[in-house]
Amino acid sequence: QVQLEESGGGLVQPGGSLRLSCTTERGLFRLYSMAWYRQAPGKQRELVAEISPHGVINVVDSLKDRFTFSKDDSTYTIYLQMNNLKPEDTAVYYCNGGGPTLWWGPGTQVTVSR
């Protein structure tokens, strides 16, 4: 059973920042793509950012100016730095390994509100 464990969600005011973390196993981290998705209430889950097995990072265009994807190879961890958060960023954020049909973390709630 592959495990992905997210952390770092919470309640933040508009304009604030959060950094999400997702730690997984060495095998998954080295061999598969990893990604962040989010699902807002009443909406479909959507891709936020991803990294290919070769290390190519992609952040969706609409979020590139505020969200940054990074990784730590020594701890098998990926990060999502989120700045200037807006209420529309409120969602459950999920860590994914290997693409949408493979492994998912349980999710971490991000709420942007006054």
Side-chain angles (χ1 to χ4, degrees), residues 3 10-11 13 27 29 42 50 60 62 67 84 93 97 99 109-110 113:
Q3 291 189 330
L11 173 64
Q13 292 188 353
F29 187 86
E50 62 186 339
V60 298
S62 61
F67 289 16
N84 190 23
Y93 284 71
Q109 177 71 46
V110 171
S113 178

Side-chain angles (χ1 to χ4, degrees), residues 29 31-36 47 49-59 69-73 77-79 96-99:
F29 187 86
L31 299 176
Y32 291 88
S33 64
M34 292 192 70
W36 289 101
L47 177 68
E50 62 186 339
I51 184 167
S52 74
H54 303 291
V56 178
I57 293 172
N58 174 55
V59 179
F69 185 108
S70 62
K71 66 185 181 81
D72 183 338
D73 293 341
T77 300
I78 61 170
Y79 299 97
N96 170 267

Side-chain angles (χ1 to χ4, degrees), residues 3 14 18-20 28 30-32 39-41 49 53 56 61 66 76 79-80 83 91 93 95 107 113:
Q3 291 189 330
L18 285 174
R19 188 176 79 157
L20 306 182
L28 189 161
R30 292 187 173 182
L31 299 176
Y32 291 88
Q39 187 166 18
V56 178
D61 287 344
R66 299 187 294 119
Y76 316 126
Y79 299 97
L80 184 68
N83 297 326
Y93 284 71
C95 180
S113 178

